[in-house]
Amino acid sequence: MLFKTSSVYTTSTKHLLHKISLINPAFNLLAKPISSLKVVWRKDPQLDHAIEQDKPYKICSKVVKEVLNEPGQVIPLRYLEKRRERLRLNVKISTFLKNNPGLFDVYKDRIKPKTEPVRFVRVSHRLRNFFEEEKRIVLENEGWIVSKLCKLLMMAKDKVLSVDKLVHVKREFGFPNDFLVNLVPHYPNYFRLIGPPEEGKSFLELVEWNPEFAKSIIEQRAEDEFRLTGIRMRPNFYYKLPPGFFLRKEMREWVRDWLELDYISPYVDVSHLDQASQEMERRTVGVLHELLSLSLFKRIPVPILGKFSDEYRFSNEFSSVFTRHSGIFYMSLKGGIKTAMLREAYKNSELIQRDPLLEIKDKFVQLLEEGWHERQEQLKSQREEVKKDRVLMAMRDGETDEQESCRELEGQEVK
């Protein structure tokens, strides 16, 4: 390491730093308090579009989840309609069901005995087939899921995470809904549940440290490069600013020198590091890079990351990292939510670093697209029927007009 710096300096320390900066001007940039380094946020339309194009899929997933959480996995349509605002649906439930055939069946039943039958919504046969496919994919990737869960615990300062927080982020990382019940107990060598779950004070603890899991994506990439080329590469971040994005000269020099610092693995103990040091900034960027790399879509809402500030030793202003390191991350404001995204995982708006568990999403999107195609065919058929009806009506009107004309001519001849 070059040095460890703090945001608060004594008079003697300032004097020493001034002397060093006269010898090495680059040191003067690195010695600045990190909080003073500002980069103006700029919109990236391509990465914003990546979030926007997943919107239909996420909305449909929310509605499916809502129905699945109901007793018997059925719900009166009017009850579902009342939850439309919470589900962020901008159309009526009946319209949503018409636009997305294949997800649900609508049938009539009584809410209570001796009451009038009302419309109910239940999961369709095709959606149940998808759930079977989902189980297969999860089972095939169980080892990867276990390693992800271990990695999250291994990066935490006490190798322990709140169960409530893990449940909150399960969809971000692709953990199955029942991972605490049907996955964790099968791996007692890795996981231990502690604390009473009914009080919301249950925790998941790491039992065994696996060195193979303690390699970050960046370290693994350097090893893969060495095996491929025979050239040993120093683990480092992939840094590329988007087109049209520029940094001030001072910031460019700071980034250049910062990238020359040694890589700090997110899996090493950093309890000895000063929170305001360059090394801790390096480590924080490493942890955030690893978390985003382990996530399904290589993006996570910033508020969710903030829930783990204590466990992963993030500072109160950790979110400024995403703009300060704009060549590594992008912070989208799409939908009024701050979302941290990993730039290297995307090419334009396309996700190119694909998690194996994304096959589940692909299967679900395929189901949706089949329904949308059916809907388009249905609308096309309806339009053709309307067109035929209009032609028939025009023909009848023509015949009627012709008959009227004939009658008029016959009347004139009689006269």
Side-chain angles (χ1 to χ4, degrees):
M1 294 298 162
L2 294 178
F3 54 87
K4 182 165 67 176
T5 186
S6 173
S7 59
V8 180
Y9 305 115
T10 62
T11 304
S12 59
T13 304
K14 286 182 180 179
H15 183 63
L16 176 62
L17 290 174
H18 176 67
K19 282 187 174 181
I20 296 174
S21 67
L22 293 176
I23 301 170
N24 182 7
F27 188 93
N28 192 39
L29 285 171
L30 283 174
K32 278 193 169 188
I34 294 172
S35 59
S36 69
L37 298 165
K38 305 293 183 183
V39 176
V40 177
W41 177 87
R42 287 194 62 177
K43 181 183 177 71
D44 189 323
Q46 296 280 7
L47 292 183
D48 281 346
H49 181 63
I51 294 177
E52 183 66 25
Q53 65 187 3
D54 280 338
K55 192 175 178 181
Y57 153 76
K58 290 205 167 185
I59 289 174
C60 290
S61 295
K62 278 185 179 180
V63 179
V64 169
K65 178 187 171 186
E66 195 73 21
V67 176
L68 290 177
N69 287 338
E70 288 297 309
Q73 298 182 344
V74 297
I75 182 174
L77 191 146
R78 68 188 188 197
Y79 290 1
L80 196 57
E81 178 66 33
K82 291 177 181 178
R83 304 176 191 179
R84 189 157 58 95
E85 187 176 344
R86 178 161 61 81
L87 293 169
R88 296 188 177 182
L89 278 176
N90 55 8
V91 296
K92 291 183 176 181
I93 288 294
S94 55
T95 304
F96 171 84
L97 296 175
K98 287 178 183 176
N99 291 342
N100 297 280
L103 288 180
F104 303 104
D105 293 331
V106 179
Y107 67 101
K108 285 196 171 184
D109 199 356
R110 291 178 171 85
I111 298 176
K112 293 181 181 180
K114 298 181 181 180
T115 59
E116 287 296 316
V118 297
R119 288 188 297 170
F120 275 75
V121 176
R122 67 185 171 199
V123 171
S124 71
H125 178 68
R126 278 190 286 183
L127 191 54
R128 292 199 180 279
N129 287 340
F130 160 75
F131 293 147
E132 292 303 313
E133 281 288 288
E134 183 181 33
K135 288 178 185 177
R136 176 189 62 79
I137 296 165
V138 167
L139 190 61
E140 288 176 358
N141 292 279
E142 187 169 291
W144 172 229
I145 295 169
V146 169
S147 71
K148 276 192 186 189
L149 195 51
C150 283
K151 283 171 174 283
L152 294 184
L153 293 168
M154 290 164 73
M155 284 187 282
K157 64 180 181 182
D158 296 316
K159 313 301 176 277
V160 172
L161 289 172
S162 161
V163 164
D164 285 349
K165 291 182 182 181
L166 284 172
V167 170
H168 193 64
V169 299
K170 64 184 178 183
R171 281 178 176 75
E172 306 298 330
F173 295 99
F175 299 152
N177 292 329
D178 58 357
F179 77 100
L180 288 169
V181 177
N182 292 328
L183 180 76
V184 167
H186 293 165
Y187 295 89
N189 56 317
Y190 285 136
F191 310 119
R192 181 188 297 121
L193 278 167
I194 53 177
E198 65 276 3
E199 296 179 14
K201 295 180 180 178
S202 184
F203 296 87
L204 188 65
E205 181 182 41
L206 184 73
V207 174
E208 179 183 311
W209 181 277
N210 186 334
E212 285 300 311
F213 296 162
K215 290 179 185 175
S216 70
I217 299 296
I218 288 177
E219 289 171 315
Q220 189 63 54
R221 187 164 60 199
E223 287 188 10
D224 293 343
E225 188 72 21
F226 174 67
R227 280 194 293 268
L228 186 65
T229 65
I231 302 172
R232 191 167 294 281
M233 305 292 292
R234 184 169 68 96
N236 210 341
F237 301 100
Y238 181 77
Y239 196 100
K240 184 180 180 181
L241 289 170
F245 194 103
F246 299 99
L247 295 176
R248 290 181 290 106
K249 180 182 177 183
E250 181 187 47
M251 196 64 203
R252 286 201 309 272
E253 292 175 350
W254 182 87
V255 169
R256 179 199 62 201
D257 295 333
W258 183 84
L259 287 171
E260 287 301 313
L261 296 175
D262 289 339
Y263 174 76
I264 299 178
S265 170
Y267 299 102
V268 300
D269 179 27
V270 291
S271 57
H272 62 287
L273 291 181
D274 183 348
Q275 189 69 38
S277 66
Q278 295 287 346
E279 292 91 340
M280 197 61 183
E281 169 91 349
R282 190 86 166 156
R283 194 261 178 181
T284 297
V285 172
V287 172
L288 292 169
H289 184 284
E290 187 74 354
L291 289 172
L292 292 175
S293 296
L294 293 173
S295 68
L296 278 183
F297 296 97
K298 315 307 175 196
R299 62 179 189 251
I300 302 176
V302 174
I304 289 180
L305 290 170
K307 291 179 182 292
F308 294 89
S309 291
D310 182 55
E311 292 87 342
Y312 294 132
R313 300 179 188 272
F314 297 153
S315 69
N316 293 334
E317 298 181 354
F318 83 94
S319 61
S320 62
V321 163
F322 301 121
T323 50
R324 188 158 52 246
H325 298 278
S326 297
I328 302 172
F329 307 114
Y330 171 61
M331 187 166 68
S332 173
L333 305 181
K334 197 70 180 174
I337 301 172
K338 291 182 178 179
T339 303
M341 305 181 72
L342 191 61
R343 283 198 184 277
E344 68 188 55
Y346 289 85
K347 182 178 181 182
N348 298 324
S349 60
E350 181 186 356
L351 181 64
I352 56 175
Q353 293 183 6
R354 287 181 53 82
D355 190 290
L357 292 164
L358 278 178
E359 186 184 352
I360 295 171
K361 181 213 170 185
D362 294 342
K363 295 286 184 184
F364 187 67
V365 169
Q366 183 182 347
L367 173 62
L368 292 177
E369 288 177 344
E370 286 173 1
W372 295 338
H373 178 71
E374 287 176 12
R375 176 62 173 163
Q376 290 302 316
E377 289 297 313
Q378 184 184 22
L379 291 173
K380 182 181 177 182
S381 177
Q382 288 175 356
R383 284 194 296 267
E384 288 175 354
E385 287 297 322
V386 170
K387 188 176 179 181
K388 286 180 183 178
D389 290 343
R390 286 177 178 172
V391 170
L392 288 172
M393 287 178 66
M395 290 174 66
R396 289 194 193 103
D397 291 343
E399 289 176 0
T400 303
D401 291 342
E402 188 176 346
Q403 290 173 358
E404 289 291 330
S405 298
C406 288
R407 289 194 190 100
E408 287 178 6
L409 288 171
E410 288 173 359
Q412 289 173 6
E413 289 175 359
V414 171
K415 289 179 182 179

